[in-house]
Amino acid sequence: GQNIDQPTEMTATEGAIVQINCTYQTSGFNGLFWYQQHAGEAPTFLSYNVLDGLEEKGRFSSFLSRSKGYSYLLLKELQMKDSASYLCAVMNSNYQLIWGAGTKLIIKP
Amino acid sequence: SQTIHQWPATLVQPVGSPLSLECTVEGTSNPNLYWYRQAAGRGLQLLFYSVGIGQISSEVPQNLSASRPQDRQFILSSKKLLLSDSGFYLCAWSYQGADTGELFFGEGSRLTVL
C-alpha cells in the first residue's frame, strides 16, 4: 500500500527552530508538497520538492531525499502564528496526491 | 487573480436528508477541480476530481456524487446523508497540465450529520 508517516503532534517554543519529518512509501514519485493548515481553515501551499536537496523560502525550508523516502520541513524563528497543522503529501506515478494525517505544531511562549 | 469559494461554511443536517455543497472558481479557465473530505486525525481523502465539464472521476464508492455543470462550478451532493458523512469538506482547483500540481483550496464546509 501507499502511506505517508509524520508525527501527530509537536511542541516548540517561540523563537526556536523545529523540524517536522515525513517518510513516504508510494508507487512512484512525482514530487512532495508541504501545506499549512490553521484550525478550521483550508490548507495553504508552503513548498514543493521534486529533486533531492534543500529548498529555502524565508523562515521555512523543505528537504527531500528520494532514495530514503524522506522529507522534512524546517521552521526557524518560530512565531505564535506558526501554530497550525502541517500536511505532507506525495504525488505518485499516477499523479495522485497521497496525504499524511498532518502534524499539529503547538508553539509556546 | 484566481479565487475559489465554497458554501455553505457550516451546516447541520439530519440523517437521511439531502446535501448540496457548491464550489466556484474565478480568474482561470478549464481548471482541474477536486472534492476532498478531512476527518479528524486522518489525511485528506480525495472524493471526486474533474478535468472538464461533465467529466467526473470517483475515488471512493459511497453515497455521495459530484457534478460539474459549468467549467468553474463543482457541486457535491447526496440524496440521503449518513452519520459517517460528517466531516470537513474541501473543494480545490489546480492548473491543467501544471508541473507542480499545486492545489488551491476553498474555505471548507463543515458538515455535521445528526
Side-chain angles (χ1 to χ4, degrees):
Chain A
Q2 303 184 91
N3 62 281
I4 310 288
D5 292 315
Q6 50 181 134
T8 303
E9 187 174 295
M10 298 182 70
T11 302
T13 304
E14 190 177 16
I17 299 173
V18 71
Q19 177 174 313
I20 302 174
N21 295 324
C22 171
T23 57
Y24 62 89
Q25 290 179 309
T26 57
S27 53
F29 179 84
N30 275 306
L32 184 144
F33 297 80
W34 284 97
Y35 282 79
Q36 180 190 61
Q37 185 177 24
H38 286 99
E41 298 182 9
T44 55
F45 172 81
L46 286 178
S47 67
Y48 170 73
N49 293 68
V50 67
L51 299 175
D52 290 351
L54 188 68
E55 295 276 347
E56 296 185 78
K57 192 183 294 185
R59 294 189 298 113
F60 292 7
S61 303
S62 56
F63 171 83
L64 173 68
S65 169
R66 288 172 296 171
S67 62
K68 295 182 179 178
Y70 168 71
S71 172
Y72 67 73
L73 181 69
L74 191 71
L75 292 74
K76 302 177 183 177
E77 302 170 14
L78 285 170
Q79 301 175 9
M80 297 303 294
K81 68 178 182 178
D82 297 329
S83 293
S85 288
Y86 291 85
L87 312 181
C88 176
V90 172
M91 185 171 286
N92 66 12
S93 57
N94 292 324
Y95 295 94
Q96 297 170 322
L97 267 180
I98 312 299
W99 292 84
T103 298
K104 182 178 181 180
L105 178 62
I106 299 169
I107 310 296
K108 295 186 175 180
Chain B
S1 63
Q2 300 84 19
T3 59
I4 178 170
H5 183 50
Q6 64 176 104
W7 69 93
T10 307
L11 65 166
V12 180
Q13 296 283 102
V15 170
S17 65
L19 171 74
S20 180
L21 300 179
E22 191 164 340
C23 172
T24 59
V25 179
E26 298 293 334
T28 189
S29 297
N30 200 26
N32 292 327
L33 295 173
Y34 309 82
W35 277 111
Y36 280 93
R37 178 167 57 203
Q38 187 175 37
R42 301 182 66 178
L44 288 171
Q45 179 187 32
L46 179 63
L47 301 175
F48 301 94
Y49 71 93
S50 171
V51 298
I53 296 174
Q55 300 179 62
I56 309 293
S57 296
S58 174
E59 292 295 306
V60 182
Q62 58 212 318
N63 68 320
L64 299 172
S65 62
S67 62
R68 185 171 178 172
Q70 300 180 44
D71 180 46
R72 291 169 292 177
Q73 183 184 26
F74 206 24
I75 299 171
L76 182 69
S77 305
S78 175
K79 292 182 179 178
K80 287 187 177 182
L81 284 169
L82 306 172
L83 286 174
S84 57
D85 292 325
S86 294
F88 191 50
Y89 290 81
L90 289 158
C91 180
W93 74 273
S94 67
Y95 289 102
Q96 285 270 7
D99 290 340
T100 67
E102 178 184 347
L103 292 175
F104 302 89
F105 287 90
E107 308 94 328
S109 299
R110 184 161 302 281
L111 170 65
T112 303
V113 182
L114 302 175

